Amino acid sequence: MDESRKLFVGPRLKRLRRDLNLSQARMAEELGLSPSYLNLMERNQRPITAQVLIRLAHAYSLDPREFANDDHERTVSELEEIFADPLFRSAPVSRIELRETIESAPTLVDAVNRLYRAYQAMRGAREAVTPSLNDRDRAEDAPQINPVDRVRELIHEAKNHFPELDEAAESLASDLAVTGHEPFFAIAERLRSKHGIRVRVMPIDVMSDNLRRYDHHRRQLLISELVDPSGRTFQAAYQLAFAEMRNTIDALAAKLEPTDGPARRLLRVSFGNYFAGALMMPYGKFHTAAEALGYDVEVLGARFGASFEQVAHRLTTLARPGARGIPFFLVRVDAAGNVSKRFSSGRFPFSQFGGTCPLWNLHSTFRTPRQVVTQIIELPDGSRWFSMARSVKRAFNPWGMPDPQFVVGLGCELKYAHRLVYARGLDLSSADATPIGINCRLCERVACPQRAAPPMMHALIVDEMRRGVSPFEFDAT
């Protein structure tokens, strides 16, 4: 941290204290401060110093870099997306007001975000049914928040890092390594010998539309022959997660999502997947290899028997204190631009309800199959990011069937790019960056030839006598 820079983190400090259930007097005592000085810091009337950050790190097991990281831009973007809804058209909210609210009332911001998600879910449910009395009742009973969005929110809040799962997977991986078998056979043997579960790779005519299915009565894990070797290992590891870690997974899911329902079940699936990835790529060995190899995803995949997507996903989880990796974000898109996966251990401002910017070369990557394509991008807030992307397939496909393909994008802030093999030979200090937006309805860049919609926070200008570069012009003030 730059000691000459004044850092105001009052709301974040207050939230930490409340999460720890501490009074101001108690926290001040533990940090060796006066209660009045702590009070001034919480009200942003005094900056936090490097010395206080170090004391916070020691007292509450925090990473001072993470605590000092400015996450406001992502939150501002999320709120702008919410207030771009026509619901708020008669009461526009300026970016300055949003920033002030985030700084002074972060809990209120969280509440607004959740309330809007509930509103979206309810509106979607009502639009999907005929408004008869019975259908109205069903809409009113609809879940308040989309379970997928809820799980994404919870995982993001945890920085996509779950140490209890990592530690258990690392210990189990050490036990499996003693057998000398390849990971798939070692996991399959563990399932058979300890849990009485037989792993079988089955032909497509038996598996039909399933890639993995657990037959509880016969205690068999059936994996389709269409699943490639890394996928078979992953699916077997997922089953082992629930055979050996069910209590931990259930407790962790219940802690993050107290209400039993689809969101909690999706969390359990996510934790099973997390454990499977951690078992294939044990934290300590994987982190050491990633640093030594310059985060070369292809080589890491070869070393740990994992796919490009599995490695990329694992890279977003490296947040262990004392052994942190680069804070990556990950996004997966299809050819139509739909986002089916997004994870971030940093502050990249993903859109909550839309796709991605067409100027981002994620989309052009479909034209260069299995080649890693890099790009330096710049967001409207001026932040710069290094992005690499590659097309991926998740399974083999029979002749005549649709061949689903995706592009996985992996990126980090430009300040970390010098540690990447993909940036070697580039002058990162003077490299040109492609200006992109979060998505069209939130982007304020003028004269963009790729614009598909006007920004919702600005008035549309229609001039019948002129056609500009962009099909939509707007008042940028």
Side-chain angles (χ1 to χ4, degrees):
M1 174 182 162
D2 183 357
E3 294 193 22
S4 65
R5 175 184 167 217
K6 290 185 177 180
L7 191 64
F8 294 89
V9 294
R12 197 171 304 178
L13 184 60
K14 183 186 295 184
R15 179 183 294 186
L16 172 66
R17 179 173 60 80
R18 289 177 175 174
D19 288 344
L20 296 171
N21 198 26
L22 297 175
S23 65
Q24 278 190 340
R26 178 64 182 276
M27 175 174 270
E29 179 183 352
E30 293 180 353
L31 296 177
L33 306 172
S34 68
S36 60
Y37 187 73
L38 178 61
N39 181 267
L40 290 172
M41 284 197 298
E42 286 191 357
R43 290 158 52 196
N44 270 349
Q45 294 182 7
R46 291 289 187 277
I48 191 169
T49 65
Q51 289 77 14
V52 173
L53 269 178
I54 291 172
R55 293 178 195 174
L56 275 169
H58 287 153
Y60 307 118
S61 300
L62 299 174
D63 182 345
R65 295 171 301 176
E66 178 180 305
F67 192 79
N69 185 34
D70 182 8
D71 204 27
H72 282 191
E73 285 305 321
R74 178 184 64 82
T75 310
V76 168
S77 298
E78 290 177 352
L79 284 182
E80 280 190 320
E81 192 166 3
I82 290 173
F83 285 100
D85 192 290
L87 177 71
F88 303 106
R89 186 168 293 161
S90 62
V93 182
S94 70
R95 177 172 274 248
I96 293 177
E97 289 178 292
L98 295 180
R99 287 184 179 277
E100 291 175 348
T101 303
I102 292 167
E103 291 176 357
S104 61
T107 305
L108 177 62
V109 170
D110 289 342
V112 169
N113 205 326
R114 293 190 183 190
L115 184 62
Y116 183 73
R117 289 177 184 274
Y119 160 73
Q120 286 284 83
M122 186 68 72
R123 185 170 67 178
R126 289 185 182 278
E127 290 174 352
V129 297
T130 304
S132 65
L133 288 177
N134 290 338
D135 289 333
R136 190 180 303 121
D137 289 342
R138 276 190 287 167
E140 290 172 353
D141 290 337
Q144 290 190 320
I145 298 179
N146 182 295
V148 175
D149 291 337
R150 173 64 175 156
V151 169
R152 284 175 174 168
E153 175 187 332
L154 291 170
I155 290 175
H156 182 82
E157 288 175 355
K159 302 294 185 184
N160 196 25
H161 177 64
F162 301 95
E164 51 270 76
L165 298 178
D166 264 316
E167 291 166 8
E170 198 165 24
S171 175
L172 180 54
S174 295
D175 293 343
L176 295 178
V178 173
T179 67
H181 295 306
E182 291 294 319
F184 176 74
F185 294 105
I187 293 170
E189 176 58 23
R190 177 87 171 197
L191 283 168
R192 186 197 64 80
S193 62
K194 187 170 182 179
H195 304 285
I197 297 174
R198 183 183 178 191
V199 179
R200 301 180 64 191
V201 177
M202 304 298 291
I204 182 176
D205 52 323
V206 174
M207 293 300 288
S208 182
D209 296 329
N210 294 305
L211 295 179
R212 169 182 51 82
R213 179 165 58 87
Y214 177 58
D215 185 335
H216 178 77
H217 296 290
R218 293 184 174 86
R219 299 190 66 77
Q220 293 186 132
L221 174 63
L222 309 178
I223 301 175
S224 171
E225 63 183 343
L226 298 182
V227 178
D228 63 18
S230 63
R232 295 177 187 181
T233 304
F234 187 90
Q235 298 302 341
Y238 175 90
Q239 192 65 45
L240 189 57
F242 283 91
E244 302 211 357
M245 295 292 296
R246 178 174 290 277
N247 290 340
T248 300
I249 288 173
D250 289 349
L252 186 56
K255 177 183 176 182
L256 295 186
E257 180 52 69
T259 303
D260 191 14
R264 189 193 285 184
R265 291 193 289 274
L266 272 176
L267 265 179
R268 285 198 288 264
V269 171
S270 297
F271 293 150
N273 290 334
Y274 188 103
F275 184 88
L279 186 61
M280 292 175 65
M281 295 163 274
Y283 195 105
K285 291 181 179 179
F286 184 77
H287 174 262
T288 300
E291 289 283 343
L293 295 170
Y295 291 84
D296 191 320
V297 180
E298 302 277 8
V299 178
L300 287 169
R303 182 170 297 183
F304 290 91
S307 69
F308 186 94
E309 183 172 347
Q310 289 168 350
V311 172
H313 192 167
R314 184 62 170 142
L315 288 174
T316 68
T317 69
L318 302 183
R320 177 181 289 176
R324 293 178 181 271
I326 291 175
F328 284 106
F329 69 81
L330 178 147
V331 61
R332 187 180 69 191
V333 300
D334 62 20
N338 299 305
V339 177
S340 54
K341 182 183 286 187
R342 55 170 72 94
F343 292 102
S344 178
S345 57
R347 62 183 186 92
F348 190 81
F350 285 120
S351 169
Q352 298 182 80
F353 306 108
T356 59
C357 177
L359 296 176
W360 194 359
N361 69 4
L362 285 176
H363 309 282
S364 63
T365 306
F366 284 103
R367 298 197 295 266
T368 55
R370 302 186 68 80
Q371 293 184 23
V372 176
V373 178
T374 65
Q375 185 182 32
I376 296 175
I377 56 178
E378 181 178 295
L379 295 177
D381 64 2
S383 63
R384 291 190 167 196
W385 304 76
F386 190 86
S387 164
M388 48 267 200
R390 204 199 79 166
S391 63
V392 297
K393 291 178 61 175
R394 288 187 293 175
F396 300 112
N397 224 49
W399 170 257
M401 297 294 291
D403 188 18
Q405 292 192 1
F406 302 88
V407 162
V408 168
L410 188 68
C412 63
E413 290 184 74
L414 191 60
K415 64 184 180 182
Y416 298 111
H418 67 278
R419 295 162 59 183
L420 302 175
V421 67
Y422 304 100
R424 287 179 184 169
L426 298 180
D427 184 359
L428 297 173
S429 62
S430 60
D432 291 333
T434 302
I436 71 168
I438 298 171
N439 63 31
C440 285
R441 70 174 188 162
L442 295 178
C443 181
E444 299 180 343
R445 298 190 187 279
V446 298
C448 175
Q450 289 280 168
R451 181 174 287 281
M456 296 291 289
M457 301 295 281
H458 295 269
L460 180 66
I461 296 176
V462 180
D463 187 341
E464 297 175 343
M465 298 294 106
R466 192 172 72 87
R467 171 63 162 87
V469 173
S470 171
F472 300 100
E473 297 187 23
F474 53 92
D475 182 359
T477 59

